């Protein structure tokens, strides 16, 4: 039986090729994902270890220390702590670290670097005049205000060299600094495309902290002193709200964090690899079903000469094992190449990955082989079992056992129950808000399985609906429709492969478009301001100097302006923050609906609170709120109004004059303003110019805010489209495989059609139309399920985004249906050509 199975594999090489390709693509996706994420993780872990090589013990503020007397950030570390740390037993020295946001401008005036990590720090020279963290490759270290050193990668990207001037922004106002040195660093953020600028310690403290204060103190161990021994000595001099950790512990924690980040990415990519393999299952099952059907007599002969049912099934599974093993090995090799290619692609985008070897772990090899073989064997098991059940006499006489009426009724009943139950669970989850994710996810799986089971039943009416169009193609169209419904199970399996990909693509498109519509509505309804000014990052949460709002307020073109100033506090016993605003201008800049009170009450100790906070604490108009400010001082606020919070404005609003005296560092996170003439490009350009053409500052109108969020969704959507393209490619292979094997199976029939007058062009048209109908059938199912799932997920999103509304992108839905049709046309090219080339006499004599 083993020799028989191997000979069958060799005898059907061409027919099994598409199956090998389908499994190979799935395995390549899996192995490529594992190689890529393991390689990136290893590179960053080694880079982070280098970054901690000069740190034996680090002292940092204890941000987890929950001190009710001071709801603000823990106090920074003082020079006294640094001096004590340098003198503890076993210490060879210590240096202070200060860091903060620092945006650098390139020579074209644009932001230099990736934008996600633009940092500034201090150069802290030791007794030898050098800072062990940084190696100067040109020039010298900064010594005075107005001087900086720049990391070599940023200097290269910005075409800067020692002696050049560079425009810098730390908290808003533009500064012009002189580059006095260029250095190299093992900082992983710089390796990933960020920027790092170094100041002398005194200047860095003025910019990022306060004179004499540090964000971190790193202690170097003397020869012969272990990190643990040094930590024990350092712990004795720690002040309140401070903690220490060994350099090894920090490196391990950083490595674990990197590993976790890579694990999340790996999981996401593997999900799409699983989808591709899931689609491949239909192809494999279809292929083996057709191969078994074509070898019915051969298997019956084996049964007649003594082979048992188990041996017949085993022979089919051996074939599947061989096919799966070949596909797995080829897929593993392709995956290793994909992993290396993805790293190169990442580097080409500017997100530089630290150098390191390509990592192919033994687990990657084992998983790839297991995935390829197991998926193939499981997919072939049912066709093999079905083949073994055919009675030898019936098989030899070509009396194929057609499905009984009872069997079809049972199948359709099970499918209907699963589909109805799944749909009910999805709709129930949609009505449960944030708690409905579990039921909805489970219901979606059950619904899809139910549709799979029902697909043969659904194929007849849906394909029949195409009859009026197919009649236009004459006899070829009529034959195509009959061929498509002749074997509903085969048609269903072929269409289902395409349905999976289109369901996911359609669902994501509906959700993304609807969310974007909700965000546009939120920006339009929540904002009255013409512009919002912020600094750095997409979240606009980085500190902005109060000088920015003062500068804007002086412009004659600005009619109303208010900073948004967040200050940590305890409100009613809960950790929260107070948002300081200009009470005279805020009513002209934001649009909220009040359930009690109005903006007129805002000022002094009168506060406005959103409805969620009011409901939580049972506060109403006139209620007194106990508050502990950022500096630890206590006070009381009176509720002057309750408003309906939204994504643009929520929380506790107070007069900025009330919170400013309690802030250790006075900064804003946004400035809202209105201008004469409204949100015009001319006004936007004017504001940018008055703010010094600062590359770090964003001046955005409502549409800019919406577009910024849309850009994130578009990027994610395009990435998902790219990942799901693998599943669509596998589905195309499935259509090609099914048609090619169907042509072989119907050789005699095609020969007869040619003999009675159907020309080669008619044969080609018949096969192409059959492929087109099957693909459109899968496309219609995919679009329908995708829209349904898009609606259901949207109901969950609506609980968090009140302005969400369902939007059906008819243009894209039409494009997806056209794509399904295109898949059908492309997939039929080779099978149609093959059918047209069949020799008439040889085809008629074919068995």
């Amino acid at each position: 039986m083993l020799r028989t199975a191997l000979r069958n594999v060799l005898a059907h090489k061409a027919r099994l090729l598409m199956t090998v390709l389908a499994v190979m693509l799935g395995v390549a996706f899996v192995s490529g994902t594992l190689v890529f994420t393991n390689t990136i993780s290893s590179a960053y872990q080694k880079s982070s270890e280098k970054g901690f090589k000069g740190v034996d013990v680090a002292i940092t503020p204890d941000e987890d220390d929950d001190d009710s007397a001071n709801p603000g950030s823990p106090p920074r570390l003082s020079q006294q702590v640094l001096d004590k740390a340098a003198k503890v037993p076993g210490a060879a020295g210590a240096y202070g670290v200060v860091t903060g946001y620092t945006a650098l401008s390139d020579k074209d005036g644009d932001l230099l670097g990736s934008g996600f990590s633009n940092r500034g720090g201090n150069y802290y020279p030791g007794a030898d005049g050098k800072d062990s963290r940084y190696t100067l490759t040109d020039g010298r270290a900064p010594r005075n205000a107005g001087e900086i050193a720049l990391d070599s990668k940023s200097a290269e990207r910005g075409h800067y060299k020692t002696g050049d001037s560079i425009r810098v922004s730390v908290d808003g106002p533009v500064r012009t600094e002189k580059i006095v040195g260029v250095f190299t660093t093992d900082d992983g953020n710089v390796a990933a495309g960020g920027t790092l600028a170094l100041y002398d310690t005194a200047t860095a403290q003025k910019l990022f902290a306060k004179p004499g204060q540090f964000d971190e103190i790193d202690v170097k161990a003397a020869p012969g002193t272990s990190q643990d021994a040094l930590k024990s000595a350092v712990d004795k001099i720690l002040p309140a709200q401070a903690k220490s950790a060994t350099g090894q512990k920090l490196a391990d924690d950083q490595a674990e964090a990197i590993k976790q980040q890579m694990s999340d990415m790996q999981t996401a990519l593997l999900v799409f690899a699983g989808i591709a393999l899931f689609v491949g299952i239909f192809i494999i099952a279809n292929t083996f079903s057709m191969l078994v059907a074509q070898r019915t007599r051969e298997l019956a002969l084996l049964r007649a000469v003594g082979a048992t049912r188990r041996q017949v099934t085993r022979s089919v599974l051996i074939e599947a094992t061989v096919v799966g093993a070949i596909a797995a090995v080829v897929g593993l090799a392709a995956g290793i190449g994909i992993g290396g290619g993805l790293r190169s692609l990442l580097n080409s985008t500017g997100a530089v990955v630290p150098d390191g070897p390509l990592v192919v772990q033994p687990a990657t090899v084992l998983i790839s082989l297991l995935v390829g073989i197991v998926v193939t064997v499981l997919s072939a098991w049912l066709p093999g079992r079905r083949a073994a059940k055919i009675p030898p006499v019936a098989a030899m006489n070509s009396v194929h056992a057609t499905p009984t009426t009872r069997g079809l009724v049972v199948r359709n009943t099970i499918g209907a129950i699963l589909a109805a139950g799944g749909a009910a669970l999805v709709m129930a989850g949609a009505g449960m808000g944030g708690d409905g994710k579990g039921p909805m996810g489970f219901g979606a799986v059950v619904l899809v399985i139910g549709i799979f089971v029902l697909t043969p039943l659904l194929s007849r009416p849906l394909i029949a609906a195409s009859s009026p169009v197919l009649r236009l193609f004459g006899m070829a169209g009529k034959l195509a429709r009959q061929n498509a419904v002749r074997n509903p199970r085969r048609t269903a399996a072929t269409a289902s492969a395409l349905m999976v990909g289109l369901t996911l693509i359609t669902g994501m498109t509906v959700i993304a478009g609807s969310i974007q519509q909700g965000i546009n509505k939120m920006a339009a309804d929540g904002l009255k301001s013409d512009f919002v000014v912020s600094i750095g990052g997409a979240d606009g949460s980085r500190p902005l100097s109060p000088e920015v709002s003062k500068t804007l307020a002086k412009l004659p073109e600005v009619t109303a302006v208010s900073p948004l100033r967040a200050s940590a506090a305890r409100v009613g016993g809960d950790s929260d923050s107070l948002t300081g605003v200009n009470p005279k201008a805020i009513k002209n800049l934001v649009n909220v609906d009040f359930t009690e009170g109005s903006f007129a009450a805002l000022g002094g100790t009168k506060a406005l609170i959103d409805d969620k906070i009011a409901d939580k604490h049972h506060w109403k108009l006139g209620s007194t709120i106990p508050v502990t400010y950022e500096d630890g001082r206590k006070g009381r606020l009176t509720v002057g109004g309750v408003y309906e919070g939204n994504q643009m404005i929520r929380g506790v609003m107070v007069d900025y004059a009330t919170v400013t005296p309690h802030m250790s560092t006075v900064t804003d996170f946004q400035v809202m303003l209105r201008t004469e003439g409204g949100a015009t490009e001319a006004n936007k350009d004017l504001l940018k110019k008055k703010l010094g053409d600062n590359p770090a500052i964003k001046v955005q109108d409502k549409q800019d805010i919406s577009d910024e969020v849309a850009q994130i969704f578009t990027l994610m959507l395009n990435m998902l489209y790219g990942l799901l393209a693998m599943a669509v490619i596998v589905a195309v292979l499935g259509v090609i495989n099914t048609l090619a094997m169907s042509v072989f199976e119907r050789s005699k029939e095609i020969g007869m059609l040619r003999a009675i007058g159907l020309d080669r062009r008619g044969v080609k048209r018949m096969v192409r139309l059959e492929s087109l109908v099957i693909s459109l059938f899968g496309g219609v199912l995919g679009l329908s399920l995708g829209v349904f799932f898009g609606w259901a997920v949207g109901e969950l999103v609506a609980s968090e985004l009140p302005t969400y509304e369902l939007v059906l992108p008819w243009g894209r839905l039409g494009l997806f249906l056209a794509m399904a049709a295109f898949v059908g046309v492309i997939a039929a090219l080779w099978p149609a050509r093959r059918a047209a080339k069949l020799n008439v006499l040889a085809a008629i004599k074919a068995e």
Side-chain angles (χ1 to χ4, degrees):
M1 295 303 293
L2 176 61
R3 287 197 300 271
T4 302
L6 294 176
R7 284 175 180 173
N8 280 324
V9 172
L10 295 175
H12 303 104
K13 295 188 291 291
R15 298 184 219 175
L16 290 169
L17 178 61
M18 295 300 172
T19 299
V20 171
L21 284 174
V23 179
M24 182 209 64
L25 286 172
V27 172
F29 207 153
V30 172
S31 58
T33 295
L34 295 174
V35 169
F36 171 67
T37 52
N38 289 336
T39 298
I40 300 300
S41 179
S42 175
Y44 274 113
Q45 285 180 27
K46 291 179 179 178
S47 177
S48 69
E49 288 174 2
K50 290 180 182 178
F52 289 108
K53 67 181 180 181
V55 181
D56 290 312
V57 173
I59 304 172
T60 56
D62 188 0
E63 297 181 3
D64 297 328
D65 187 356
D66 190 12
D67 183 1
S68 60
N70 183 6
S73 300
R76 290 185 170 90
L77 304 168
S78 66
Q79 182 68 44
Q80 288 79 3
V81 178
L82 175 59
D83 294 338
K84 288 180 181 179
K87 296 176 182 177
V88 299
Y95 54 86
V97 179
V98 186
T99 61
Y101 176 76
T102 301
L104 305 175
S105 172
D106 63 19
K107 292 190 175 181
D108 294 326
D110 298 322
L111 183 65
L112 182 63
S114 62
F116 84 95
S117 179
N118 301 102
R119 306 296 296 170
N122 66 312
Y123 189 93
Y124 195 92
D128 58 356
K130 299 179 180 179
D131 189 328
S132 60
R133 299 170 296 171
Y134 312 109
T135 302
L136 288 165
T137 58
D138 188 32
R140 60 173 176 82
R143 299 170 187 161
N144 305 299
E147 297 179 345
I148 65 167
L150 190 61
D151 74 87
S152 57
K153 293 185 181 295
S154 298
E156 181 181 352
R157 287 194 294 266
H159 306 289
Y160 285 113
K161 63 181 183 300
T162 301
D164 288 347
S165 294
I166 184 171
R167 298 170 71 245
V168 180
S169 177
V170 172
D171 58 357
V174 177
R175 307 160 58 92
T176 301
E177 315 281 14
K178 182 179 180 182
I179 301 174
V180 296
V182 176
F183 63 90
T184 58
T185 176
D186 292 317
D187 191 323
N189 287 323
V190 173
T195 60
L196 179 61
L198 299 180
Y199 293 88
D200 65 281
T201 298
T203 302
Q205 288 174 330
K206 291 178 182 177
L207 292 173
F208 309 127
K210 287 185 177 179
Q213 292 187 345
F214 300 96
D215 296 316
E216 182 178 319
I217 293 173
D218 295 335
V219 188
K220 182 71 175 174
T225 303
S226 68
Q227 290 188 352
D228 290 333
L230 181 60
K231 181 180 181 302
S232 297
V234 168
D235 285 344
K236 296 176 182 178
I237 58 96
L238 286 180
Q241 285 189 288
K243 60 182 179 180
S244 67
T246 63
Q248 186 60 51
K249 176 69 164 53
L250 293 173
D252 291 344
D253 290 347
Q254 182 73 11
E256 184 60 32
I258 293 171
K259 184 178 179 181
Q260 184 60 47
Q261 291 173 358
M262 290 298 108
S263 175
D264 294 341
M265 179 191 296
Q266 188 180 86
T267 300
L269 291 174
L270 287 176
V271 166
F272 289 95
I275 293 170
L277 285 169
F278 182 66
V279 172
I281 287 173
F282 293 102
I283 300 175
I284 300 165
N286 231 7
T287 301
F288 278 93
S289 294
M290 297 175 76
L291 283 175
V292 167
Q294 292 166 14
R295 288 161 43 205
T296 302
R297 289 189 177 185
E298 174 190 326
L299 295 175
L301 182 60
L302 289 173
R303 290 288 309 281
V305 298
T308 64
R309 286 186 177 184
R310 184 175 296 176
Q311 286 177 313
V312 171
T313 303
R314 193 181 301 153
S315 70
V316 176
L317 294 182
I318 290 172
E319 291 180 46
T321 302
V322 174
V323 171
I326 294 171
V329 171
V330 178
L332 174 61
I336 293 172
I338 290 172
L342 286 174
R343 184 174 68 170
S344 300
L345 180 64
L346 199 62
N347 284 333
S348 68
T349 63
V352 183
V353 178
D355 294 331
L358 205 63
V359 178
V360 184
Q361 296 181 350
T364 300
V365 177
L366 182 62
I367 290 171
S368 299
L369 294 176
L370 284 176
V371 164
I373 295 171
V374 170
V375 166
T376 310
V377 170
L378 288 178
S379 302
W381 175 76
L382 189 59
R385 184 169 175 269
R386 191 181 299 140
K389 283 186 174 182
I390 300 176
V393 176
M396 286 182 178
N397 288 285
S398 297
V399 181
H400 298 283
T402 57
T404 63
T405 303
R406 181 173 177 271
L408 292 174
V409 170
V410 170
R411 178 189 177 113
N412 293 335
T413 302
I414 293 174
I417 292 172
L418 289 174
L425 279 173
V426 170
M427 289 188 287
M432 295 169 63
D435 298 329
K437 295 177 183 177
M440 182 180 292
F442 180 70
V445 173
V446 173
L447 174 57
V448 170
I449 293 173
I451 295 297
F452 288 158
V453 177
L454 282 176
T455 306
L457 176 66
L458 297 174
S459 65
R460 289 186 178 275
L462 288 178
I463 292 177
S466 64
S467 294
V469 177
L470 291 176
R471 287 198 192 101
L472 300 175
F473 296 93
M475 183 56 66
K478 182 179 180 181
L479 291 171
R481 185 185 66 79
Q482 291 175 347
N483 289 334
V485 298
R486 179 185 298 178
N487 192 330
R489 287 183 175 177
R490 183 189 304 163
T491 298
T494 306
S496 295
L498 188 60
M499 180 190 78
V500 174
L502 282 178
T503 295
L504 294 169
I505 290 173
T506 302
M508 290 187 304
T509 302
V510 170
I511 294 166
S514 301
I515 289 177
Q516 182 55 48
Q517 180 72 13
I519 290 170
N520 289 343
K521 192 170 186 298
M522 176 187 69
D525 294 349
L527 291 178
K528 287 183 180 178
S529 63
D530 294 324
F531 298 102
V532 175
V533 178
S534 59
I535 188 168
D539 58 358
S541 62
R542 291 193 172 107
L544 189 67
S545 170
E547 295 301 317
V548 172
S549 61
K550 293 178 181 177
T551 299
L552 294 171
K554 294 176 182 177
L555 299 178
E557 295 84 0
V558 174
T559 58
V561 62
S562 173
L564 270 63
R565 188 167 297 173
S567 176
R570 288 191 179 280
V571 181
D574 293 338
S575 294
D576 207 327
S577 66
L578 303 175
T579 302
V581 298
N582 182 342
K584 296 180 180 179
I586 193 65
K587 63 182 178 182
N588 298 317
L589 301 172
V590 297
N591 187 23
V592 294
D593 295 324
F594 281 87
T595 57
E596 292 183 290
S598 67
F599 278 119
L602 186 62
T605 59
K606 291 285 186 70
L608 306 179
I609 61 175
D610 68 41
D611 50 352
K612 289 185 178 180
I613 294 177
D615 292 341
K616 179 181 178 180
H617 295 280
H618 305 291
W619 290 334
K620 56 185 180 179
L621 189 67
S623 296
T624 300
I625 304 173
V627 59
T628 302
Y629 294 102
E630 184 177 327
D631 58 1
R633 295 183 183 178
K634 298 182 183 296
R636 290 188 174 276
L637 298 173
T638 303
V639 177
V642 179
Y643 64 94
E644 295 179 5
N646 55 53
Q647 296 294 319
M648 302 302 297
I649 189 75
R650 55 186 171 183
V652 181
M653 276 193 287
V654 296
D655 187 338
Y656 67 85
T658 301
V659 298
T660 300
H662 300 285
M663 299 176 68
S664 57
T665 303
V666 180
T667 58
D668 303 324
F669 64 90
Q670 281 183 348
V671 176
M672 293 182 175
L673 67 149
R674 297 189 74 172
T675 55
E676 291 182 355
T680 64
E681 285 298 318
N683 280 337
K684 183 187 291 187
D685 292 339
L686 172 68
L687 295 176
K688 287 181 178 179
K689 184 177 181 181
K690 294 299 182 179
L691 292 173
D693 290 322
N694 191 327
I697 287 184
K698 297 185 296 185
V699 179
Q700 298 175 297
D701 58 22
K702 297 176 187 178
Q703 190 59 50
D704 292 331
I705 294 172
S706 296
D707 290 345
E708 186 174 65
V709 180
Q711 186 177 10
I712 298 172
F713 279 105
T714 301
L715 177 62
M716 291 176 60
L717 199 59
N718 289 338
M719 288 175 61
L720 294 175
Y721 283 162
L723 293 170
L724 285 172
M726 182 70 72
V728 175
I729 291 171
V730 174
V732 172
L733 292 177
V735 178
I736 295 173
N737 205 26
T738 300
L739 289 173
M741 297 186 73
S742 178
V743 166
F744 179 85
E745 192 177 73
R746 304 200 312 256
S747 296
K748 188 172 184 177
E749 175 188 317
I750 292 173
M752 291 293 294
L753 290 171
R754 290 289 313 281
I756 61 176
L758 189 65
D759 60 9
R760 289 187 174 182
R761 182 177 297 177
V763 171
K764 285 184 179 180
R765 186 179 297 128
M766 176 186 71
V767 176
R768 287 171 182 164
L769 289 173
E770 180 184 350
S771 175
L772 182 63
V773 167
I774 293 173
S775 297
L776 285 175
F777 170 51
V780 170
L781 287 181
L783 291 178
S784 302
L785 279 175
V787 169
F788 178 66
F789 289 144
W791 164 81
V793 173
E795 292 299 300
L796 297 183
V797 175
S799 64
E800 299 294 330
L801 183 64
T803 54
Y804 178 91
E805 58 183 56
L806 181 67
V807 174
L808 294 181
W810 294 109
R812 288 205 176 190
L813 294 182
L815 181 64
F816 295 155
L817 195 60
M819 184 180 74
F822 179 73
V823 165
V825 172
I826 295 299
L829 291 178
W830 178 61
R833 187 181 178 191
R834 181 182 177 187
K837 283 188 173 183
L838 286 175
N839 183 283
V840 176
L841 294 178
I844 291 174
K845 291 190 296 181
E847 290 292 336

